[in-house]
Amino acid sequence: GKLATKMVLDDFEYPKNPRQNADTTFLTGYGDYLVNDVLHCFACHSASLARIDVKNPTHSKGYLGGGSKLIGMNGEKVVSPNITFDETTGLGTYSEQQFFDVMKMGRKSNGEWIKPPMQPYTSLSDNDIRAIYEYLKIVPVINNKKLLASRQTK
């Protein structure tokens, strides 16, 4: 509800010119485009749905560091994971293949399945996933100690 309200109530200007096609060979640039403009990963994977910046996603509070409180399929509370490359609370230990497994099949490196509302992106190409992986590697790392604490209390 917070995300929808923010998107409806904010004043958006329509682009004056058509958007240029993204260069799919420049992986970090293409990954930026996919994460921020196409898939809107920042909306769920930042610190708070109420503090995202739709116009400038990288200015969202806790950009891609996780912590947003979401609702799963059965009404259970789900906290979005950190998708920065922090080695303790994020993707820092993920190989490219492990990242592919999460994105394509929904299986995390520890063997657990991802939780809805996240779903596997079976329609993304290998190049798309590789671009997202390369982009996430250059995003400033966030060590989200709140996520670590919540994992230990389970």
Side-chain angles (χ1 to χ4, degrees):
K2 291 178 186 178
L3 176 61
T5 301
K6 186 171 191 61
M7 294 179 85
V8 169
L9 295 180
D10 272 359
D11 184 31
F12 291 103
E13 276 189 40
Y14 283 99
K16 294 180 179 33
N17 299 310
R19 183 175 177 103
Q20 298 297 317
N21 289 338
D23 178 359
T24 60
T25 62
F26 174 51
L27 291 182
T28 55
Y30 183 49
D32 177 346
Y33 167 72
L34 291 170
V35 167
N36 295 310
D37 297 326
V38 176
L39 301 173
H40 299 277
C41 303
F42 68 93
C44 293
H45 288 281
S46 295
S48 166
L49 291 174
R51 306 274 311 270
I52 62 166
D53 187 335
V54 177
K55 294 178 187 173
N56 298 296
T58 60
H59 294 132
S60 298
K61 180 179 167 99
Y63 177 69
L64 301 179
S68 283
K69 293 174 179 69
L70 308 170
I71 299 172
M73 284 182 56
N74 299 318
E76 74 277 14
K77 293 179 183 177
V78 176
V79 178
S80 67
N82 179 352
I83 59 171
T84 70
F85 267 70
D86 178 63
E87 293 203 2
T88 309
T89 65
L91 300 176
T93 61
Y94 272 61
S95 68
E96 188 175 283
Q97 184 58 54
Q98 289 170 315
F99 186 73
F100 268 74
D101 291 346
V102 169
M103 294 295 288
K104 284 275 196 182
M105 296 182 292
R107 187 111 172 157
K108 298 184 206 178
S109 66
N110 64 5
E112 293 178 8
W113 296 99
I114 58 174
K115 295 178 184 172
M118 181 70 180
Q119 296 179 354
Y121 285 100
T122 56
S123 63
L124 291 178
S125 72
D126 288 355
N127 190 64
D128 294 342
I129 294 173
R130 189 169 292 109
I132 294 168
Y133 182 79
E134 291 301 319
Y135 174 68
L136 293 176
K137 285 176 24 182
I138 65 166
V139 168
V141 171
I142 294 177
N143 181 275
N144 193 334
K145 293 183 186 346
K146 288 182 183 178
L147 290 178
L148 192 58
S150 71
R151 286 182 199 151
Q152 293 172 343
T153 59
K154 288 185 177 183

